[in-house]
Coordinates of all heavy atoms in Angstrom, one line a residue:
W330 N -24.7 -14.0 15.9 CA -24.2 -13.9 14.6 C -25.2 -13.2 13.8 O -24.9 -12.5 12.9 CB -23.9 -15.3 14.0 CG -23.3 -15.1 12.5 CD1 -23.9 -15.6 11.4 CD2 -22.0 -14.5 12.2 NE1 -23.1 -15.3 10.3 CE2 -22.0 -14.6 10.8 CE3 -21.1 -13.8 12.8 CZ2 -20.9 -14.2 10.0 CZ3 -20.0 -13.3 12.1 CH2 -20.0 -13.5 10.8
E335 N -20.8 -6.6 8.8 CA -19.5 -6.4 8.3 C -19.4 -5.0 7.8 O -20.3 -4.3 7.2 CB -19.3 -7.3 7.1 CG -18.0 -7.2 6.3 CD -17.9 -8.1 5.2 OE1 -19.0 -8.7 4.8 OE2 -16.7 -8.1 4.6
S359 N -8.8 -6.8 9.7 CA -7.6 -6.3 9.0 C -7.6 -4.9 9.2 O -8.6 -4.2 9.4 CB -7.5 -6.7 7.5 OG -8.5 -6.1 6.8
R375 N -3.4 8.5 21.6 CA -3.4 7.9 22.8 C -3.3 6.3 22.7 O -3.2 5.7 23.7 CB -4.6 8.1 23.8 CG -4.6 9.6 24.2 CD -3.5 9.8 25.3 NE -3.2 11.1 25.7 CZ -2.2 11.9 25.3 NH1 -1.3 11.4 24.5 NH2 -2.0 13.1 25.8
E380 N -5.4 -5.7 13.4 CA -6.2 -6.9 13.3 C -6.0 -7.9 14.5 O -5.0 -7.9 15.0 CB -5.7 -7.6 12.1 CG -4.2 -7.9 11.9 CD -3.4 -6.7 11.3 OE1 -4.0 -5.8 10.8 OE2 -2.2 -6.7 11.6
F383 N -10.4 -6.1 19.5 CA -11.7 -5.6 19.5 C -11.6 -4.0 19.7 O -10.6 -3.7 20.5 CB -12.4 -6.1 20.7 CG -13.1 -7.4 20.4 CD1 -12.5 -8.5 20.7 CD2 -14.3 -7.6 19.8 CE1 -13.0 -9.8 20.4 CE2 -14.9 -8.8 19.6 CZ -14.3 -10.0 19.9
A385 N -13.5 -0.6 20.9 CA -14.8 0.0 21.3 C -14.5 1.0 22.3 O -13.5 1.0 23.0 CB -15.6 -1.1 22.0
G393 N -23.8 5.4 28.1 CA -24.6 6.1 27.1 C -24.1 7.4 26.8 O -24.7 8.1 26.0
D394 N -23.0 7.9 27.5 CA -22.5 9.2 27.3 C -21.6 9.2 26.0 O -21.3 8.2 25.4 CB -21.4 9.5 28.4 CG -22.3 9.8 29.7 OD1 -23.4 10.0 29.7 OD2 -21.5 9.6 30.8
A414 N -25.2 -2.3 22.8 CA -26.3 -2.4 23.6 C -26.8 -3.9 23.8 O -27.5 -4.2 24.7 CB -27.5 -1.7 23.1
K432 N -14.1 -11.6 29.9 CA -12.8 -11.8 29.3 C -12.5 -10.6 28.4 O -11.3 -10.2 28.4 CB -12.9 -13.0 28.4 CG -12.8 -14.4 29.2 CD -11.6 -14.5 29.9 CE -11.6 -15.9 30.7 NZ -10.2 -16.1 31.3
S452 N 11.5 5.7 29.5 CA 11.9 7.1 28.7 C 11.3 6.8 27.3 O 11.1 5.7 26.8 CB 13.3 7.4 28.6 OG 14.0 6.4 27.8
L460 N 9.2 -1.5 21.9 CA 8.3 -1.7 20.7 C 9.0 -2.6 19.8 O 8.5 -3.4 19.1 CB 7.7 -0.4 20.1 CG 6.9 0.4 20.9 CD1 6.4 1.8 20.2 CD2 5.5 -0.4 21.4
Q475 N 2.5 10.3 13.9 CA 1.6 9.8 14.8 C 2.2 8.9 15.9 O 1.8 8.9 17.0 CB 0.6 8.7 13.9 CG -0.1 9.4 12.9 CD -1.2 10.3 13.3 OE1 -1.6 10.3 14.4 NE2 -1.7 11.0 12.4
E485 N 10.9 15.2 15.3 CA 12.2 15.2 15.1 C 13.0 14.4 16.2 O 14.1 13.8 15.9 CB 12.7 16.8 15.2 CG 12.1 17.6 14.2 CD 10.6 18.0 14.4 OE1 10.1 17.7 15.6 OE2 10.0 18.5 13.5
R489 N 15.6 11.3 15.5 CA 16.9 11.1 16.1 C 17.1 9.8 16.8 O 18.1 9.2 16.8 CB 17.2 12.3 17.0 CG 17.4 13.6 16.3 CD 18.1 14.7 17.2 NE 17.2 15.1 18.2 CZ 16.2 16.0 18.2 NH1 16.1 16.8 17.0 NH2 15.6 16.3 19.3
R491 N 15.6 7.0 16.1 CA 15.7 6.0 15.1 C 17.1 6.0 14.5 O 17.7 4.9 14.3 CB 14.6 6.2 14.2 CG 13.2 5.7 14.4 CD 12.2 6.0 13.3 NE 11.0 5.3 13.5 CZ 9.8 5.4 12.8 NH1 10.0 6.2 11.8 NH2 8.8 4.7 13.2
E503 N 26.0 8.9 23.9 CA 26.4 10.3 23.2 C 27.1 11.2 24.1 O 26.8 11.1 25.4 CB 25.2 10.8 22.6 CG 24.6 10.0 21.3 CD 23.6 10.8 20.7 OE1 22.8 11.4 21.3 OE2 23.4 10.6 19.4

Side-chain angles (χ1 to χ4, degrees):
W330 181 247
E335 180 186 8
S359 63
R375 289 296 174 252
E380 55 274 348
F383 286 91
D394 293 337
K432 287 290 185 179
S452 67
L460 294 178
Q475 304 288 349
E485 296 77 13
R489 288 195 293 271
R491 284 179 164 176
E503 290 187 328

